[in-house]
Amino acid sequence: MNIFGDVSYIALGYWHKANLTRSVFLSDPECDSRRIYRTGDLGRIRPDGSIEFLGRKDFQVKIRGFRIELGEIEAAIAQHSNVRATVVIATEDVPSNKHLVAYVVLTQPVTTDELRHILRRKLPEYMVPSSFVFLDSLPLTPNGKVNRRALPVPELHHSGDKFVAPRTPIEEMLAQIWALVLKVEQVGIHDNFFELGGHSLLATQLISRLPEAFGTSLPLRFLFESPTVAQLSEVILSELQTSSSLTLPATIAPVSSKEDMPLSWAQERLWFLHQLEGESAAYTIAFAVRLVGDLSIEALEEALQKMVQRHEVLRTRFEIKDNKPVQIIDSNVSIPLFCHFPE
């Protein structure tokens, strides 16, 4: 929110969409120069005056940090000539693992892979549903609207009659890793990672486990190109046989804290801003803690001192050597505690 004088607003409106601006941005009856924005959130005022959030008025959802309009996905699916009707919902099979499910009514047979391929050309990856459920018709309420509560629960984690058990040690190890990452009981060699509820964040977790399991690392794109256990196992086998450059580097050796070390990119950025702006509290986080009971100043000071002594980052400072900033880790730093007690 931007605040200038007595004018408070979050935006001026939608770019070149006057009708949408008029429907969402309203004039504040208490101030002519200020606007009210309809967020689309639903809530109720509790007896104590606080506002309780109940949900959304529209079908906007938030998944893995991205705000998604489900209508955009439905519109993209409906563009297929063999799709008669569709509805997309966000479901959560396990806590904090929310994913998209598309329910589709077809006029002619269409495969899941075909729909997913079409959507990936039109939408970002995080907006592509993890599962597609094909129905003869969508459940409706008595007034003719889609009854989202009556939609069947998708079977995201079952292979059914198509389950094929791992045949090789590599496939068996991959199936175990997939089951651990996706939190499922079993994974067949022809199961698609993304059809089982996988997404980009889980894909990163899976790829990060490969070096420990197979001694080789793969780019993330390999999982998108080979999304089944059988396909990815062939890639891993090929990498192991050819001993390509994708094998893990040598173990990182520890460096003595007594040596001068270069700054990381993040440290160098802060150091540059400090040289440019001088002393500033922009990156200082201050907070207050209320302590109840008798306080031993000596014990608190000793605890802080031991914490600083334990963590090198709290004893690190920057110096200029040979016209370059370097990290200096002091062996011992004293942190005196200044106390002021009100009268």
Side-chain angles (χ1 to χ4, degrees):
M1 178 177 291
N2 298 321
I3 301 177
F4 295 93
D6 61 348
V7 180
S8 175
Y9 60 89
I10 61 170
L12 296 178
Y14 289 93
W15 181 253
H16 288 169
K17 294 182 179 180
N19 292 335
L20 186 58
T21 298
R22 284 193 294 269
S23 65
V24 176
F25 290 84
L26 308 177
S27 299
D28 189 342
E30 298 182 358
C31 180
D32 295 337
S33 60
R34 194 165 54 190
R35 286 183 172 183
I36 296 176
Y37 174 70
R38 287 179 173 174
T39 65
D41 297 324
L42 292 176
R44 63 184 176 188
I45 300 178
R46 299 180 60 85
D48 60 358
S50 62
I51 298 178
E52 180 182 2
F53 175 73
L54 299 178
R56 293 285 303 175
K57 181 180 180 181
D58 53 18
F59 296 116
Q60 184 185 91
V61 297
K62 189 173 184 180
I63 296 182
R64 299 186 294 278
F66 296 100
R67 289 197 175 275
I68 300 173
E69 290 285 355
L70 299 180
E72 293 185 28
I73 307 175
E74 295 171 354
I77 297 175
Q79 291 179 11
H80 195 288
S81 58
N82 293 339
V83 173
R84 185 174 67 189
T86 182
V87 62
V88 179
I89 66 171
T91 184
E92 192 173 26
D93 54 348
V94 295
S96 70
N97 185 26
K98 187 180 292 185
H99 49 263
L100 299 171
V101 180
Y103 295 86
V104 185
V105 179
L106 300 173
T107 57
Q108 296 292 333
V110 178
T111 64
T112 298
D113 291 339
E114 182 179 353
L115 287 177
R116 185 173 280 110
H117 177 71
I118 292 175
L119 291 181
R120 284 202 175 110
R121 294 190 307 180
K122 300 179 179 180
L123 303 172
E125 182 64 34
Y126 63 84
M127 292 183 66
V128 177
S130 301
S131 179
F132 291 83
V133 180
F134 298 104
L135 303 174
D136 295 331
S137 62
L138 296 177
L140 303 177
T141 62
N143 58 3
K145 295 183 178 180
V146 177
N147 187 354
R148 295 173 179 262
R149 295 183 178 181
L151 292 169
V153 177
E155 295 184 357
L156 294 173
H157 302 149
H158 299 281
S159 304
D161 298 333
K162 298 180 180 180
F163 174 77
V164 179
R167 303 161 297 184
T168 65
I170 293 180
E171 289 181 350
E172 184 175 359
M173 181 65 71
L174 275 179
Q176 293 177 1
I177 295 175
W178 284 30
L180 182 63
V181 172
L182 294 171
K183 296 180 175 59
V184 299
E185 294 183 1
Q186 67 176 13
V187 176
I189 63 173
H190 299 307
D191 290 339
N192 189 294
F193 177 81
F194 301 99
E195 292 180 3
L196 293 180
H199 48 74
S200 57
L201 294 181
L202 292 179
T204 303
Q205 294 182 23
L206 188 147
I207 290 296
S208 67
R209 295 173 185 264
L210 298 185
E212 182 178 356
F214 303 106
T216 183
S217 60
L218 298 176
L220 184 61
R221 63 178 177 83
F222 277 36
L223 181 57
F224 289 90
E225 297 172 354
S226 305
T228 68
V229 169
Q231 293 171 338
L232 194 61
S233 67
E234 293 179 0
V235 175
I236 293 176
L237 181 60
S238 175
E239 297 297 331
L240 293 176
Q241 290 175 343
T242 58
S243 298
S244 70
S245 59
L246 293 176
T247 54
L248 285 177
T251 303
I252 300 176
V255 178
S256 173
S257 60
K258 297 180 180 179
E259 299 179 5
D260 296 340
M261 292 174 287
L263 273 58
S264 67
W265 289 112
Q267 290 174 324
E268 190 169 337
R269 175 180 178 273
L270 290 177
W271 174 84
F272 173 79
L273 292 176
H274 177 72
Q275 306 304 309
L276 184 65
E277 300 178 356
E279 296 295 337
S280 172
Y283 294 92
T284 301
I285 302 176
F287 60 93
V289 178
R290 182 183 295 274
L291 302 177
V292 179
D294 296 334
L295 174 63
S296 172
I297 302 299
E298 294 76 10
L300 178 59
E301 188 172 35
E302 183 179 356
L304 292 174
Q305 188 64 45
K306 288 186 177 297
M307 179 179 65
V308 172
Q309 194 62 33
R310 181 179 180 86
H311 299 283
E312 290 183 341
V313 68
L314 300 179
R315 293 181 279 111
T316 300
R317 55 187 173 84
F318 301 158
E319 283 190 3
I320 305 297
K321 290 190 175 182
D322 298 328
N323 295 324
K324 292 183 179 180
V326 294
Q327 299 184 58
I328 303 296
I329 302 177
D330 293 324
S331 58
N332 189 22
V333 175
S334 177
I335 307 294
L337 185 63
F338 298 96
C339 300
H340 172 71
F341 297 96
E343 297 296 336

mmCIF file of all heavy atoms in Angstrom, residues 156-178:
data_model
loop_
_atom_site.group_PDB
_atom_site.id
_atom_site.type_symbol
_atom_site.label_atom_id
_atom_site.label_comp_id
_atom_site.label_asym_id
_atom_site.label_seq_id
_atom_site.Cartn_x
_atom_site.Cartn_y
_atom_site.Cartn_z
ATOM 1 N N LEU A 156 -5.062 -39.707 -6.876
ATOM 2 C CA LEU A 156 -3.768 -39.209 -7.329
ATOM 3 C C LEU A 156 -2.663 -40.231 -7.157
ATOM 4 O O LEU A 156 -1.701 -40.245 -7.908
ATOM 5 C CB LEU A 156 -3.392 -37.941 -6.543
ATOM 6 C CG LEU A 156 -4.277 -36.728 -6.772
ATOM 7 C CD1 LEU A 156 -3.868 -35.635 -5.811
ATOM 8 C CD2 LEU A 156 -4.183 -36.242 -8.207
ATOM 9 N N HIS A 157 -2.821 -41.102 -6.194
ATOM 10 C CA HIS A 157 -1.674 -41.918 -5.798
ATOM 11 C C HIS A 157 -1.906 -43.405 -6.022
ATOM 12 O O HIS A 157 -1.430 -44.238 -5.265
ATOM 13 C CB HIS A 157 -1.347 -41.676 -4.319
ATOM 14 C CG HIS A 157 -1.052 -40.244 -4.035
ATOM 15 N ND1 HIS A 157 -1.326 -39.653 -2.833
ATOM 16 C CD2 HIS A 157 -0.529 -39.264 -4.814
ATOM 17 C CE1 HIS A 157 -0.969 -38.383 -2.855
ATOM 18 N NE2 HIS A 157 -0.490 -38.138 -4.049
ATOM 19 N N HIS A 158 -2.657 -43.744 -7.036
ATOM 20 C CA HIS A 158 -2.906 -45.154 -7.304
ATOM 21 C C HIS A 158 -2.678 -45.447 -8.771
ATOM 22 O O HIS A 158 -3.122 -44.714 -9.650
ATOM 23 C CB HIS A 158 -4.342 -45.528 -6.909
ATOM 24 C CG HIS A 158 -4.630 -45.312 -5.449
ATOM 25 N ND1 HIS A 158 -4.229 -46.191 -4.471
ATOM 26 C CD2 HIS A 158 -5.255 -44.290 -4.812
ATOM 27 C CE1 HIS A 158 -4.612 -45.735 -3.285
ATOM 28 N NE2 HIS A 158 -5.232 -44.592 -3.462
ATOM 29 N N SER A 159 -2.019 -46.559 -9.024
ATOM 30 C CA SER A 159 -1.754 -46.948 -10.391
ATOM 31 C C SER A 159 -2.800 -47.892 -10.934
ATOM 32 O O SER A 159 -2.914 -48.078 -12.138
ATOM 33 C CB SER A 159 -0.370 -47.621 -10.469
ATOM 34 O OG SER A 159 0.621 -46.771 -9.959
ATOM 35 N N GLY A 160 -3.573 -48.522 -10.017
ATOM 36 C CA GLY A 160 -4.616 -49.425 -10.463
ATOM 37 C C GLY A 160 -4.040 -50.635 -11.177
ATOM 38 O O GLY A 160 -3.039 -51.222 -10.788
ATOM 39 N N ASP A 161 -4.705 -51.045 -12.262
ATOM 40 C CA ASP A 161 -4.284 -52.224 -13.013
ATOM 41 C C ASP A 161 -3.011 -51.974 -13.812
ATOM 42 O O ASP A 161 -2.404 -52.904 -14.322
ATOM 43 C CB ASP A 161 -5.412 -52.663 -13.962
ATOM 44 C CG ASP A 161 -6.670 -53.060 -13.189
ATOM 45 O OD1 ASP A 161 -6.525 -53.476 -12.023
ATOM 46 O OD2 ASP A 161 -7.775 -52.939 -13.756
ATOM 47 N N LYS A 162 -2.592 -50.715 -13.958
ATOM 48 C CA LYS A 162 -1.419 -50.403 -14.762
ATOM 49 C C LYS A 162 -0.123 -50.502 -13.958
ATOM 50 O O LYS A 162 0.940 -50.266 -14.500
ATOM 51 C CB LYS A 162 -1.546 -48.993 -15.348
ATOM 52 C CG LYS A 162 -2.739 -48.809 -16.278
ATOM 53 C CD LYS A 162 -2.786 -47.389 -16.822
ATOM 54 C CE LYS A 162 -3.976 -47.193 -17.747
ATOM 55 N NZ LYS A 162 -4.034 -45.803 -18.280
ATOM 56 N N PHE A 163 -0.204 -50.862 -12.679
ATOM 57 C CA PHE A 163 0.992 -50.893 -11.846
ATOM 58 C C PHE A 163 1.962 -51.958 -12.337
ATOM 59 O O PHE A 163 1.601 -53.117 -12.542
ATOM 60 C CB PHE A 163 0.619 -51.158 -10.388
ATOM 61 C CG PHE A 163 1.812 -51.334 -9.494
ATOM 62 C CD1 PHE A 163 2.535 -50.241 -9.073
ATOM 63 C CD2 PHE A 163 2.220 -52.598 -9.115
ATOM 64 C CE1 PHE A 163 3.647 -50.385 -8.255
ATOM 65 C CE2 PHE A 163 3.331 -52.760 -8.295
ATOM 66 C CZ PHE A 163 4.035 -51.647 -7.872
ATOM 67 N N VAL A 164 3.202 -51.527 -12.535
ATOM 68 C CA VAL A 164 4.283 -52.438 -12.905
ATOM 69 C C VAL A 164 5.404 -52.246 -11.903
ATOM 70 O O VAL A 164 5.932 -51.139 -11.755
ATOM 71 C CB VAL A 164 4.794 -52.180 -14.341
ATOM 72 C CG1 VAL A 164 5.938 -53.139 -14.669
ATOM 73 C CG2 VAL A 164 3.658 -52.323 -15.345
ATOM 74 N N ALA A 165 5.789 -53.312 -11.227
ATOM 75 C CA ALA A 165 6.804 -53.222 -10.177
ATOM 76 C C ALA A 165 8.181 -52.983 -10.780
ATOM 77 O O ALA A 165 8.440 -53.316 -11.945
ATOM 78 C CB ALA A 165 6.802 -54.512 -9.359
ATOM 79 N N PRO A 166 9.099 -52.399 -10.018
ATOM 80 C CA PRO A 166 10.474 -52.185 -10.497
ATOM 81 C C PRO A 166 11.133 -53.498 -10.904
ATOM 82 O O PRO A 166 10.942 -54.532 -10.266
ATOM 83 C CB PRO A 166 11.161 -51.554 -9.289
ATOM 84 C CG PRO A 166 10.062 -50.922 -8.510
ATOM 85 C CD PRO A 166 8.880 -51.815 -8.683
ATOM 86 N N ARG A 167 11.962 -53.415 -11.953
ATOM 87 C CA ARG A 167 12.615 -54.607 -12.499
ATOM 88 C C ARG A 167 14.110 -54.634 -12.220
ATOM 89 O O ARG A 167 14.737 -55.693 -12.292
ATOM 90 C CB ARG A 167 12.389 -54.671 -14.014
ATOM 91 C CG ARG A 167 10.912 -54.665 -14.415
ATOM 92 C CD ARG A 167 10.755 -54.271 -15.867
ATOM 93 N NE ARG A 167 11.237 -52.896 -16.092
ATOM 94 C CZ ARG A 167 11.146 -52.270 -17.257
ATOM 95 N NH1 ARG A 167 10.586 -52.885 -18.290
ATOM 96 N NH2 ARG A 167 11.605 -51.042 -17.386
ATOM 97 N N THR A 168 14.698 -53.472 -11.959
ATOM 98 C CA THR A 168 16.146 -53.372 -11.766
ATOM 99 C C THR A 168 16.436 -52.650 -10.454
ATOM 100 O O THR A 168 15.559 -51.970 -9.898
ATOM 101 C CB THR A 168 16.796 -52.602 -12.927
ATOM 102 O OG1 THR A 168 16.324 -51.238 -12.901
ATOM 103 C CG2 THR A 168 16.440 -53.236 -14.266
ATOM 104 N N PRO A 169 17.665 -52.753 -9.944
ATOM 105 C CA PRO A 169 18.015 -52.022 -8.712
ATOM 106 C C PRO A 169 17.836 -50.515 -8.849
ATOM 107 O O PRO A 169 17.409 -49.851 -7.896
ATOM 108 C CB PRO A 169 19.484 -52.397 -8.489
ATOM 109 C CG PRO A 169 19.647 -53.722 -9.159
ATOM 110 C CD PRO A 169 18.749 -53.684 -10.354
ATOM 111 N N ILE A 170 18.136 -49.945 -10.026
ATOM 112 C CA ILE A 170 17.966 -48.502 -10.222
ATOM 113 C C ILE A 170 16.496 -48.134 -10.149
ATOM 114 O O ILE A 170 16.112 -47.147 -9.493
ATOM 115 C CB ILE A 170 18.579 -48.060 -11.562
ATOM 116 C CG1 ILE A 170 20.097 -48.224 -11.544
ATOM 117 C CG2 ILE A 170 18.223 -46.605 -11.863
ATOM 118 C CD1 ILE A 170 20.776 -47.807 -12.832
ATOM 119 N N GLU A 171 15.644 -48.902 -10.821
ATOM 120 C CA GLU A 171 14.200 -48.619 -10.782
ATOM 121 C C GLU A 171 13.661 -48.777 -9.364
ATOM 122 O O GLU A 171 12.812 -47.992 -8.929
ATOM 123 C CB GLU A 171 13.467 -49.561 -11.728
ATOM 124 C CG GLU A 171 13.710 -49.269 -13.201
ATOM 125 C CD GLU A 171 12.949 -50.197 -14.115
ATOM 126 O OE1 GLU A 171 12.378 -51.193 -13.610
ATOM 127 O OE2 GLU A 171 12.905 -49.941 -15.333
ATOM 128 N N GLU A 172 14.145 -49.767 -8.632
ATOM 129 C CA GLU A 172 13.672 -49.970 -7.261
ATOM 130 C C GLU A 172 14.067 -48.802 -6.368
ATOM 131 O O GLU A 172 13.257 -48.325 -5.560
ATOM 132 C CB GLU A 172 14.245 -51.273 -6.709
ATOM 133 C CG GLU A 172 13.725 -51.622 -5.322
ATOM 134 C CD GLU A 172 14.219 -52.977 -4.841
ATOM 135 O OE1 GLU A 172 14.954 -53.643 -5.604
ATOM 136 O OE2 GLU A 172 13.869 -53.356 -3.711
ATOM 137 N N MET A 173 15.302 -48.325 -6.523
ATOM 138 C CA MET A 173 15.750 -47.180 -5.728
ATOM 139 C C MET A 173 14.970 -45.929 -6.092
ATOM 140 O O MET A 173 14.548 -45.156 -5.219
ATOM 141 C CB MET A 173 17.242 -46.957 -5.927
ATOM 142 C CG MET A 173 17.814 -45.797 -5.113
ATOM 143 S SD MET A 173 17.726 -46.091 -3.334
ATOM 144 C CE MET A 173 18.988 -47.360 -3.169
ATOM 145 N N LEU A 174 14.743 -45.696 -7.396
ATOM 146 C CA LEU A 174 13.968 -44.527 -7.828
ATOM 147 C C LEU A 174 12.545 -44.589 -7.306
ATOM 148 O O LEU A 174 11.996 -43.575 -6.854
ATOM 149 C CB LEU A 174 13.954 -44.446 -9.361
ATOM 150 C CG LEU A 174 15.139 -43.758 -10.032
ATOM 151 C CD1 LEU A 174 14.970 -43.794 -11.549
ATOM 152 C CD2 LEU A 174 15.289 -42.329 -9.551
ATOM 153 N N ALA A 175 11.922 -45.763 -7.358
ATOM 154 C CA ALA A 175 10.545 -45.906 -6.866
ATOM 155 C C ALA A 175 10.465 -45.581 -5.384
ATOM 156 O O ALA A 175 9.500 -44.962 -4.922
ATOM 157 C CB ALA A 175 10.038 -47.320 -7.143
ATOM 158 N N GLN A 176 11.478 -45.987 -4.615
ATOM 159 C CA GLN A 176 11.500 -45.673 -3.186
ATOM 160 C C GLN A 176 11.640 -44.171 -2.949
ATOM 161 O O GLN A 176 10.990 -43.602 -2.063
ATOM 162 C CB GLN A 176 12.641 -46.430 -2.508
ATOM 163 C CG GLN A 176 12.464 -47.937 -2.484
ATOM 164 C CD GLN A 176 13.650 -48.651 -1.881
ATOM 165 O OE1 GLN A 176 14.619 -48.035 -1.444
ATOM 166 N NE2 GLN A 176 13.601 -49.983 -1.857
ATOM 167 N N ILE A 177 12.496 -43.525 -3.750
ATOM 168 C CA ILE A 177 12.675 -42.076 -3.605
ATOM 169 C C ILE A 177 11.389 -41.352 -3.962
ATOM 170 O O ILE A 177 10.965 -40.412 -3.272
ATOM 171 C CB ILE A 177 13.840 -41.588 -4.491
ATOM 172 C CG1 ILE A 177 15.159 -42.194 -4.013
ATOM 173 C CG2 ILE A 177 13.927 -40.066 -4.469
ATOM 174 C CD1 ILE A 177 16.343 -41.864 -4.900
ATOM 175 N N TRP A 178 10.723 -41.772 -5.038
ATOM 176 C CA TRP A 178 9.470 -41.134 -5.443
ATOM 177 C C TRP A 178 8.414 -41.286 -4.365
ATOM 178 O O TRP A 178 7.691 -40.339 -4.045
ATOM 179 C CB TRP A 178 8.961 -41.746 -6.756
ATOM 180 C CG TRP A 178 9.705 -41.286 -7.964
ATOM 181 C CD1 TRP A 178 11.003 -40.906 -8.037
ATOM 182 C CD2 TRP A 178 9.176 -41.140 -9.290
ATOM 183 N NE1 TRP A 178 11.326 -40.552 -9.322
ATOM 184 C CE2 TRP A 178 10.239 -40.689 -10.107
ATOM 185 C CE3 TRP A 178 7.942 -41.373 -9.861
ATOM 186 C CZ2 TRP A 178 10.075 -40.435 -11.463
ATOM 187 C CZ3 TRP A 178 7.777 -41.140 -11.215
ATOM 188 C CH2 TRP A 178 8.830 -40.668 -12.002
#
